[in-house]
Structure formats: structure tokens, C-alpha cells
Amino acid sequence: MTGVPASAAGGSSSARRTGPRGTSGAAQEPVGRTNPGSAVERVAAERAATDRGTTDQGTTDRGTTGRGSADRGSAERGSTEGGAAGRGGKIAAAAVNQASVWNVANLLTMLRLLLVPAFVALMLGNGGYDPAWRSFAWAAFAIAMITDLFDGHLARTYNLVTDFGKIADPIADKAIMGAALICLSALGDLPWWVTAVILGRELGITVLRFVVIRYGVIPASRGGKLKTLTQGIAVGMYVLALTGPLATLRFWVMAAAVVLTVATGLDYVKQAIVLRRRGIAERRAALKETEA
């Protein structure tokens, strides 16, 4: 036991345990050597990671494809719903435009048209000379004339002008006035020439308006409005069975109505001639500019 020095024994043990960097000699592998087991494990780990990445990428792609399909489906549904909404809006707009015919102004015009046959029946009731029936006829005539004052004003003020109103309003005016004049002349209360002058003027001016409408519109004048008011008052006084001073007064009111009827008719003819000449001159000037 005493033959081996302690320092030598200790040195040998230390040499076996300690390598170049102070690590265990058994744990330290020489440079340039690779552990086969460790290499195989690293390859397997890399393959597993690659497989997981591929799987994740496929899942992502499938998710993206699924979201794209969903987005396309949503876009298609949105387009379909938008188209349906657009068609619904057009149908609703058409319904509103169609329903706009039934406005207050047109209803008053239609009321006047319905009052025409009612007025004739009341005017000729019981032989046409009964004061009671004539009073009822006057009431129908007065309602028609009053509504004539309001329907045009309402249409222009509240933007209720329609094609139906443009056609039906003048027809209703001429119809109620013509019916009253013809009934009065048929009963012998009013000379036929008065009826002929008033109705001839009204129909003639209406036709004239349509003839020159391509060149412009003849505006209603103050004289025309005064003529309409005077005619309404005069005819209303003749519808009533008046006697005495009132009967004399209605004669002069009718005379004033006839004068205004003729005067405003001539004025409309003059305006129509001027409007036509101006329109023809403007068209010729435009044609020359186009040719130049």
C-alpha cells in the first residue's frame, strides 16, 4: 500500500476525469466524429417538422379557400339581394307614380266631371222651370266653379300636376259651362247666339293652344281669368229663377261676359300668331347655324 505515492495516484485519476476544457473525458466526444443515433433522430425530427408544416399549410390553404368561397357566396347573395332590392325599388317607384294620379287636385277635377250629368238632371227636373230644382242645379254649378278655382292652384302649389290633370281639367271646365249654356238656351232663357259665341271661343282657343304648342305655351292672362269669373257669375244668375231688378242685372253681367269672351279670344289669337312666327324664326336660325 505504501509503494504508490499519493500524488501520483491522484494525478492519474485527475487525468482520466478531466479533458482539455475541464469536462468529463467520457462525455467529451472527439472532433470530427458523429453519433449515428443522434443523426437519425435529427433527420426524423426534421421530417416530422416538415410534415407538420405541410399539414399546417394545407389547413391554411383550405381555410383560405373556404373563406374565399364564403366571400363569393356572400357577394353573390349581396348581388342577388341588391338586384331584388333594386327591382323592388323600381316597382315601388312605379306604384307611387301610378298612385300620384289620385291626388286632391285630380279628385276635384273628377268631381266636376261627375257634377255635369247631375247638373243637367237637376236643371231639367220638373220641366226645367221649377225654382226649387233650379236652386239645386245652381248649387251643383257653384260647386263645380269653386272646385275649378282650387284644383289648378293646388296642383301648381304642391307639385300635383299630372298628364291626366292637364287633359281632364279643361274638359271639365268646358263641359260644365257648355252644359249650363245649352240647357239655358234650350229652355229659352238665353239666346242661342250667346251660347254659340261663348262655346265657339272656348273650343277655338283650346284647339289653337294644341296647334301652337310645338312653338311654346300661351300663358293664361288676367283678362282670361276675369272672363272665366264673369261667365261663371252670369251663368249662375241665369240658372237661378230670378225676377225684377236681379233679372235685369244678370243681363248686363252676361253682356260683360260676352265682351270679355270675344276680347280675350282675339288676344289669344294674336299671341298664337306671334308665338308661331317667333318659333319658326328660331328654327330657321338654328338650321342655318347647323349648316354653317
Side-chain angles (χ1 to χ4, degrees):
M1 296 178 61
T2 60
V4 180
S7 60
S12 301
S13 175
S14 174
R16 286 193 302 267
R17 290 194 303 268
T18 306
R21 295 181 181 179
T23 58
S24 173
Q28 180 68 33
E29 295 180 356
V31 177
R33 296 180 58 186
T34 304
N35 190 349
S38 300
V40 172
E41 290 176 357
R42 283 196 299 271
V43 171
E46 290 176 357
R47 284 184 179 177
T50 304
D51 293 340
R52 285 196 301 271
T54 305
T55 303
D56 294 340
Q57 182 178 0
T59 304
T60 304
D61 293 340
R62 287 193 299 273
T64 305
T65 304
R67 287 194 298 272
S69 300
D71 293 339
R72 287 194 297 272
S74 300
E76 292 175 357
R77 287 195 299 273
S79 300
T80 304
E81 293 174 356
R87 289 192 296 272
K90 292 180 180 179
I91 294 173
V96 169
N97 291 335
Q98 184 176 3
S100 65
V101 176
W102 300 93
N103 56 56
V104 177
N106 288 343
L107 289 176
L108 291 176
T109 301
M110 286 185 277
L111 176 62
R112 282 209 316 283
L113 289 172
L114 294 175
L115 284 174
V116 173
F119 168 79
V120 173
L122 294 171
M123 188 70 182
L124 301 178
N126 198 18
Y129 298 101
D130 190 335
W133 285 92
R134 295 281 285 259
S135 298
F136 290 127
W138 177 86
F141 181 80
I143 293 173
M145 297 305 295
I146 291 172
T147 56
D148 181 32
L149 297 175
F150 285 103
D151 60 353
H153 175 72
L154 291 174
R156 290 185 296 270
T157 302
Y158 297 101
N159 195 22
L160 301 176
V161 179
T162 61
D163 293 336
F164 172 81
K166 293 177 183 178
I167 297 173
D169 183 68
I171 292 176
D173 297 342
K174 307 302 184 291
I176 190 66
M177 184 61 68
L181 291 171
I182 291 173
C183 287
L184 290 172
S185 295
L187 294 173
D189 293 339
L190 189 67
W192 277 105
W193 70 266
V194 175
T195 298
V197 168
I198 295 177
L199 292 184
R201 184 268 187 198
E202 299 298 332
L203 295 177
I205 296 302
T206 301
V207 173
L208 187 61
R209 285 177 180 272
F210 283 105
V211 170
V212 300
I213 196 171
R214 68 183 70 179
Y215 305 109
V217 178
I218 302 175
S221 62
R222 294 183 178 179
K225 295 179 181 179
L226 181 60
K227 177 269 307 177
T228 301
L229 178 62
T230 307
Q231 282 183 359
I233 295 173
V235 172
M237 294 180 71
Y238 269 87
V239 169
L240 289 172
L242 299 177
T243 58
L246 291 177
T248 304
L249 177 62
R250 71 182 182 183
F251 171 81
W252 292 108
V253 176
M254 181 60 74
V258 172
V259 171
L260 288 172
T261 298
V262 175
T264 55
L266 294 175
D267 181 63
Y268 274 117
V269 172
K270 179 183 176 181
Q271 292 187 51
I273 294 174
V274 173
L275 185 63
R276 182 177 179 275
R277 289 178 178 175
R278 184 186 306 161
I280 293 175
E282 290 176 354
R283 288 188 177 185
R284 287 178 179 176
L287 184 60
K288 289 181 179 179
E289 291 180 358
T290 303
E291 292 177 352

